[in-house]
Amino acid sequence: MSLWQRLFNHHQQPKQAVLILGSGRSGTSVMTKCINLMGISLGTDNLLAPSKKINPKGYFENKDVIKIHKSLGSRVRYRPAFKGYYDSPKIKKDRADLTNYLKNFFENEQYLAIKDPRMNDYIELWQHVLADVDVLPAEIVLLRNPMDVVHSNERAWHRDTTLAMRQWQVRTLLSLRDSDRTHRILVTYEDLFGQTLTTLKRIATQFDLPWTDDEAALQAKIDDFIDPALQKSDSGESLADFEARTDVEPDVKALYLLGRQAAADPDFFASEEFQQKIDEMTDQYLADYGALYRDFNAKINSKTFFVFGEDQAQVDQGNDILRANQVKMVGTEADSHAVAEDLSERLNNETLNVKTYPLDYLVVEQKEELNNYLRKNAKREALWGIGDAKNNEIVEMLTNVSRELGADTHNVVIADDLTAIDDPRELRIAIQHLIRTLHAVERPPYQVIMADQLAAPATQATLKAFVATEPTKADQPTDSKPDETFKLRTPIDFQEVAGTLTALCEQASQDSTKQATLNHFVSVNYDEILNVKGDQYANSVRN
């Protein structure tokens, strides 16, 4: 390369990828088209088609990028994704595809604008890949009143209100937490639609993007594009009225108000104080709700069976009966076994809390593995399941993930005669496992089987009928006895618990309507039984 070429290239404008971030239904489509009207390419003519009812003007989403994001979403199903996901072998191909796309595009182009709501989930990946191809990010974060976003989602997608709000919350948090503090700008919905040209010029100035010499012509194009009649969910609510609302959760309200403060004060938006507050809000969100599952309307048309029991030989007997009824059962060879071993070790050393670990961000990668494994098999087999004694250790996680998948899950609980266990520690652990399992599978259908009845013809008939059970939306019977009827004495006498719990399980195994009584006993005593530690029990015996 000649000296002149080197000097010329050194002083070239940096190549930039304009990333339009923020929750969907926040004006991101309008912003993307306006950036395009400024002369910045959308990367392809192969854009997502407009929707007459939902987005008649167009989404302006690059289908090549959407394909990569969807592939990522088939492996990384929770947001926020697990730490370091962008370097994970799981997404190696997707990262390579994104790298190749950007590398090829920027061979001949200076600027690119990309908008896809999924991109909020992968901001860190985009930043790493852009650095790899020597392209600067220019990140525009859109912020809109969350109630307007929720109403827009309801009208457009008939989306559940709670989930729509969670999506607004997590994607707003991610766009504010993960966006590059030195290459970002925050734009409110009000400024985008009320001061469009001024807002675009501010963006162009901050990022040194191309700007027109004929602002009147650009304004005419904007006026021709933006149709105020399509802003059907724009309440026009003032910030003061929003702040006075009583129907918005405090964490949602605090996030939006913080965002509006940052949008009005760029120095605050760039400050350590703002970043610290967003980090704290993200941590609190994860503690309260856990990572959000991606597929809102998931439904799998198959039946998934879990067999729970303390002894693998007994669980294998249950597996064999289900196999005889055309259920494809796997045992300890299931991919979930390694996940269960890892989680149970952390539960046993109290790194994780039994009651909250399905929401714990520390195990979202393990949850991801479990989700992908369950989904893959449930979509492939009409009747399938896992019978593994380790299921006892992660029953809360299994049932939680199954509900997120929309799986039609049938649970078989093998109960021992607990009164036959002499060792105090072994008895406590067996009772706590059974209580945890019954508490987690309370939603029907589930079937209790006594361990000593596994070989009985009646058990085989019961499980055959159970395989044929269809889910019902009808309210299940509840036990009307007062809680005091089931309340255990303190300190807890585990021999007493063993006798009561065994008797209730025997009744439920013979008559499923008795499950209501068993459920009532479990719910009343769950906390007390799980809170007893080994040393505490030993001390109560000695005293």
Side-chain angles (χ1 to χ4, degrees):
M1 186 181 292
S2 70
L3 173 63
W4 290 111
Q5 286 175 310
R6 290 200 301 273
L7 287 172
F8 175 76
N9 286 334
H10 179 71
H11 290 95
Q12 265 190 329
Q13 285 286 96
K15 297 184 176 184
Q16 294 190 74
V18 181
L19 310 183
I20 291 87
L21 304 171
S23 172
R25 318 305 295 178
S26 294
T28 52
S29 297
V30 169
M31 176 61 79
T32 306
K33 182 56 181 175
C34 286
I35 294 294
N36 180 231
L37 291 174
M38 286 166 50
I40 295 177
S41 170
L42 300 181
T44 181
D45 293 327
N46 187 24
L47 299 175
L48 190 66
S51 167
K52 289 183 179 180
K53 292 184 178 180
I54 299 172
N55 211 338
K57 291 282 189 172
Y59 295 93
F60 310 105
E61 294 177 13
N62 183 320
K63 289 173 75 172
D64 297 325
V65 172
I66 289 174
K67 183 179 178 181
I68 296 171
H69 284 165
K70 285 186 173 180
S71 179
L72 280 164
S74 70
R75 297 169 178 81
V76 182
R77 294 191 176 277
Y78 293 91
R79 51 187 186 267
F82 56 90
K83 288 186 177 180
Y85 74 93
Y86 43 81
D87 285 328
S88 171
K90 293 179 184 178
I91 68 158
K92 183 177 181 180
K93 181 180 182 303
D94 300 314
R95 178 165 176 163
D97 288 345
L98 182 57
T99 302
N100 290 335
Y101 173 81
L102 292 173
K103 189 179 293 184
N104 291 336
F105 176 84
F106 281 106
E107 278 185 359
N108 302 305
E109 296 285 347
Q110 188 77 26
Y111 304 102
L112 169 68
I114 291 290
K115 170 252 177 177
D116 177 10
R118 302 172 188 86
M119 188 161 55
N120 293 281
D121 308 336
Y122 311 120
I123 296 172
E124 292 173 304
L125 172 64
W126 272 86
Q127 289 167 346
H128 279 78
V129 172
L130 287 172
D132 290 343
V133 298
D134 199 24
V135 174
L136 284 178
E139 299 169 358
I140 305 171
V141 181
L142 273 296
L143 182 70
R144 185 183 185 187
N145 184 318
M147 297 303 293
D148 289 350
V149 172
V150 168
H151 294 151
S152 183
N153 268 295
E154 286 176 335
R155 195 187 70 255
W157 310 107
H158 308 292
R159 187 155 285 162
D160 174 85
T161 301
T162 300
L163 287 175
M165 185 61 82
R166 291 284 169 268
Q167 178 169 275
W168 176 88
Q169 196 173 0
V170 73
R171 282 187 166 157
T172 300
L173 283 167
L174 290 177
S175 64
L176 295 174
R177 186 193 72 173
D178 295 339
S179 52
D180 188 325
R181 290 168 63 180
T182 59
H183 297 93
R184 68 181 181 182
I185 192 168
L186 182 55
V187 176
T188 66
Y189 184 87
E190 291 76 10
D191 281 349
L192 172 61
F193 285 92
Q195 304 178 56
T196 310
L197 191 67
T198 302
T199 298
L200 292 176
K201 190 170 185 178
R202 180 161 62 95
I203 291 169
T205 301
Q206 178 165 324
F207 295 130
D208 199 14
L209 297 173
W211 187 249
T212 181
D213 292 328
D214 190 348
E215 293 185 0
L218 177 57
Q219 182 67 65
K221 291 179 183 178
I222 292 169
D223 292 340
D224 184 59
F225 168 66
I226 295 179
D227 183 354
L230 296 177
Q231 295 172 253
K232 297 177 182 177
S233 298
D234 183 13
S235 64
E237 183 177 46
S238 71
L239 199 56
D241 287 342
F242 176 84
E243 192 167 2
R245 274 183 174 270
T246 58
D247 60 342
V248 177
E249 292 293 326
D251 55 350
V252 171
K253 183 180 288 189
L255 175 57
Y256 180 60
L257 292 175
L258 182 69
R260 287 296 298 264
Q261 180 186 352
D265 183 352
D267 289 337
F268 175 63
F269 186 41
S271 70
E272 191 64 41
E273 179 188 359
F274 174 81
Q275 200 65 35
Q276 184 177 342
K277 288 184 176 181
I278 286 297
D279 289 343
E280 289 171 355
M281 285 183 173
T282 305
D283 290 344
Q284 190 59 53
Y285 171 92
L286 289 170
D288 291 341
Y289 311 116
L292 183 67
Y293 180 52
R294 176 175 310 283
D295 299 324
F296 283 159
N297 302 311
K299 180 61 182 173
I300 296 176
N301 297 317
S302 65
K303 291 182 181 179
T304 298
F305 292 80
F306 294 122
V307 180
F308 299 95
E310 286 291 290
D311 181 79
Q312 188 60 48
Q314 295 173 357
V315 171
D316 288 341
Q317 281 184 270
N319 289 349
D320 288 341
I321 298 172
L322 292 172
R323 286 190 189 104
N325 288 282
Q326 284 70 57
V327 182
K328 185 173 181 179
M329 295 296 295
V330 291
T332 56
E333 73 274 17
D335 288 359
S336 58
H337 186 80
V339 174
E341 285 188 321
D342 175 43
L343 292 178
S344 63
E345 181 180 350
R346 290 200 253 176
L347 287 166
N348 290 331
N349 66 26
E350 297 183 13
T351 305
L352 301 174
N353 186 316
V354 166
K355 296 174 185 177
T356 60
Y357 79 97
L359 297 179
D360 199 320
Y361 184 63
L362 291 174
V363 299
V364 71
E365 186 171 7
Q366 287 74 15
K367 190 176 183 181
E368 198 90 65
E369 291 177 18
L370 194 59
N371 183 305
N372 284 323
Y373 178 67
L374 298 182
R375 167 180 284 273
K376 178 181 70 176
N377 285 279
K379 293 187 80 170
R380 188 168 56 193
E381 305 289 343
L383 298 169
W384 90 285
I386 304 171
D388 182 353
K390 278 290 180 183
N391 285 354
N392 276 0
E393 303 277 3
I394 60 165
V395 56
E396 298 88 356
M397 186 68 89
L398 282 171
T399 52
N400 183 280
V401 172
S402 296
R403 279 194 292 271
E404 290 176 333
L405 286 174
D408 177 9
T409 305
H410 293 232
N411 300 297
V412 177
V413 180
I414 299 174
D416 286 299
D417 178 357
L418 298 168
T419 63
I421 302 176
D422 294 324
D423 180 82
R425 180 178 181 279
E426 183 183 341
L427 177 62
R428 174 180 59 82
I429 292 173
I431 288 174
Q432 288 178 330
H433 277 169
L434 184 55
I435 286 289
R436 282 177 57 194
T437 299
L438 292 168
H439 187 264
V441 304
E442 183 177 345
R443 294 185 186 182
Y446 80 91
Q447 179 64 52
V448 178
I449 299 294
M450 298 308 296
D452 60 3
Q453 295 298 308
L454 277 164
T459 297
Q460 297 179 34
T462 296
L463 287 182
K464 180 178 181 179
F466 186 64
V467 170
T469 301
E470 295 297 333
T472 175
K473 294 183 179 179
D475 291 337
Q476 298 303 306
T478 57
D479 186 89
S480 59
K481 299 183 188 70
D483 288 356
E484 289 72 20
T485 306
F486 300 99
K487 190 71 176 174
L488 293 168
R489 293 179 296 169
T490 54
I492 290 176
D493 180 342
F494 275 91
Q495 291 293 344
E496 178 187 8
V497 178
T500 303
L501 189 54
T502 299
L504 291 172
C505 284
E506 286 176 341
Q507 294 169 20
S509 71
Q510 297 164 11
D511 181 356
S512 61
T513 64
K514 300 293 185 181
Q515 287 179 2
T517 306
L518 176 59
N519 293 341
H520 196 167
F521 172 83
V522 170
S523 66
V524 167
N525 298 293
Y526 173 79
D527 288 329
E528 286 76 9
I529 289 175
L530 256 62
N531 285 336
V532 175
K533 309 298 181 187
D535 289 343
Q536 181 180 339
Y537 173 69
N539 289 335
S540 70
V541 171
R542 283 194 293 271
N543 294 334

